[in-house]
Amino acid sequence: VVPLNKLIGDAWMNGQLEIFEEHFYTESVTAVLRQGIGGLGNGVAASPRVLLTTFPQESHGLGLLMAEAFLAQQGCNCLSLGVQTPVPDIARAALAHGASIVVLSFSASLNPKDVTQGLADLRGLLPPAVEIWTGGACPVLQRRSVPGVYVLDSFAAIEPELLRWRQARP
């Protein structure tokens, strides 16, 4: 899906696709991914428990759904809040549901200050044992590190991070 997303995004930016066509593509891919996730049948005993969402300024959710599909395929117990969740609510949900990892997706359009400040705020609201994993096309993720936040530069980086997490918890 990643290469196809890039092609669609480029076509939209170049005026080769209408907004409604890009939205139709997103909804179609969302339906396919949701069906695939539902077919995996991971139970509540799966580990780790992962909470997925975006910050309030982020309305793009396809990357988040792709991460959920990959994590579910790797045997994680995924709980998605969807997009645009306020930072304090992310922390409360992670604590209430016993999440071990919070996964956040960021598109390139987000304000870098909002991203770094939101990550610092979230890190301060969560216990150190709850990891924060980020990914997406937001350039600030690669330029400025936030202590206690893991930046995954691709979907391929998820599997080694899961292995690291699982090996650290016998």
Side-chain angles (χ1 to χ4, degrees), residues 51 55 90 100-104 106 118-135 146-152 161 164:
L51 181 87
F55 282 173
I90 296 169
S100 300
I101 302 167
V102 174
V103 171
L104 301 161
F106 298 96
L119 288 171
D121 291 348
L122 182 60
R123 179 71 279 163
L125 293 171
L126 292 172
V130 177
E131 294 189 6
I132 300 172
W133 295 3
T134 66
V146 176
V149 175
Y150 294 82
V151 177
L152 285 61
E161 286 301 324
R164 176 197 55 79

Side-chain angles (χ1 to χ4, degrees), residues 158-170:
I158 294 174
E159 192 170 7
E161 286 301 324
L162 275 173
L163 181 61
R164 176 197 55 79
W165 185 92
R166 286 175 170 147
Q167 287 176 340
R169 287 146 189 88

Side-chain angles (χ1 to χ4, degrees), residues 39-52:
L40 292 173
N42 290 334
V44 293
S47 181
R49 177 168 271 192
V50 181
L51 181 87
L52 300 101

Side-chain angles (χ1 to χ4, degrees), residues 13-85:
M13 295 270 290
N14 293 329
Q16 297 169 312
L17 283 178
E18 297 284 340
I19 291 174
F20 72 86
E21 292 171 313
E22 186 272 336
H23 284 217
F24 179 74
Y25 164 78
T26 299
E27 288 302 311
S28 298
V29 171
T30 296
V32 169
L33 289 173
R34 287 253 178 251
Q35 184 178 17
I37 291 167
L40 292 173
N42 290 334
V44 293
S47 181
R49 177 168 271 192
V50 181
L51 181 87
L52 300 101
T53 192
T54 68
F55 282 173
Q57 306 84 356
E58 179 62 76
S59 61
H60 297 91
L62 194 52
L64 189 69
L65 185 57
M66 291 165 57
E68 180 182 355
F70 193 89
L71 289 160
Q73 185 181 30
Q74 297 297 312
C76 297
N77 178 345
C78 296
L79 173 65
S80 178
L81 299 179
V83 297
Q84 298 183 313
T85 306

